[in-house]
Amino acid sequence: MSPESTGQNEHYIRVIRRRFRAWRGHRPFWAGLFTMAGGIPIAYFPYASMTLGNMTLAMSTTAGAGSLIIGVLLITLGLTMWYHSIVRVFAGVAAILLALISIPVANIGGFVVGFVLALVGGALSISWAPGKPADARATPLAEHSDEERSPDELHTAAAVPQQQGSGYDLAADADGGRHRAG
């Protein structure tokens, strides 16, 4: 083994978890998850039947096909949020509209559970924005500790005078320079 090789002593679960966190960080993950979780009860409850002893309780309604279509569309929109995050605003608005339509069509929106989950998922999808990567060179020198700075950066930072006094006009001239207020 080479001393330069990395990751040889890492456990595979830790590697999978790190990859999943990286994948999850670049898309509206929770929005998609809530939207899909909202589609499941909306599609399931009209076809569910529960047995209590000898008595069968069926939730079958005449709007079973509409409930199934709304549930499948919500699950599809959740997957769209995950894999095509560029259309996240459209998917969020569509999820909110389908959640609202599920109230009269699908047993009060899957007994309010599916309605609330789809509504929250749609709102999260609309409000999600991709993050900007942190660049170490773009941060000001004052945010770095002295151990992180090179000796050249320390010398340059000490040589530059603080220009936030009353003696300097910070407005730029036409040629882009600063002039002494006097």
Side-chain angles (χ1 to χ4, degrees), residues 39-40 42-43 66-79 98:
I40 292 171
I42 289 173
S67 300
L68 183 65
I69 290 171
I70 290 172
V72 168
L73 283 175
L74 283 171
I75 293 170
T76 304
L77 286 171
L79 290 171
L98 285 172

Side-chain angles (χ1 to χ4, degrees), residues 12-170:
Y12 67 92
I13 293 177
R14 189 176 298 156
V15 173
I16 292 170
R17 184 173 178 231
R18 187 179 307 122
R19 286 182 185 166
F20 175 69
R21 288 181 75 184
W23 177 81
R24 186 182 71 187
H26 296 292
R27 61 200 78 242
F29 175 76
W30 293 107
L33 187 67
F34 277 115
T35 304
M36 287 188 287
I40 292 171
I42 289 173
Y44 175 74
F45 284 140
Y47 296 102
S49 62
M50 187 185 329
T51 304
L52 298 172
N54 292 334
M55 184 174 62
T56 302
L57 180 67
M59 297 295 195
S60 301
T61 62
T62 57
S67 300
L68 183 65
I69 290 171
I70 290 172
V72 168
L73 283 175
L74 283 171
I75 293 170
T76 304
L77 286 171
L79 290 171
T80 302
M81 291 173 196
W82 279 1
Y83 294 107
H84 298 289
S85 61
I86 194 78
V87 293
R88 66 185 171 5
V89 175
F90 167 75
V93 170
I96 289 173
L97 289 175
L98 285 172
L100 290 172
I101 290 171
S102 74
I103 291 174
V105 172
N107 292 332
I108 312 170
F111 297 115
V112 182
V113 174
F115 165 72
V116 170
L117 288 172
L119 203 64
V120 169
L124 285 173
S125 178
I126 291 172
S127 66
W128 184 83
K132 295 179 182 173
D135 188 14
R137 287 178 257 141
T139 58
L141 290 175
E143 293 182 6
H144 295 291
S145 65
D146 288 343
E147 293 85 26
E148 295 175 356
R149 295 185 193 178
S150 68
D152 292 334
E153 287 176 342
L154 287 173
H155 178 67
T156 306
V160 175
Q162 295 293 327
Q163 296 185 359
Q164 294 191 8
S166 61
Y168 287 97
D169 182 15
L170 298 179

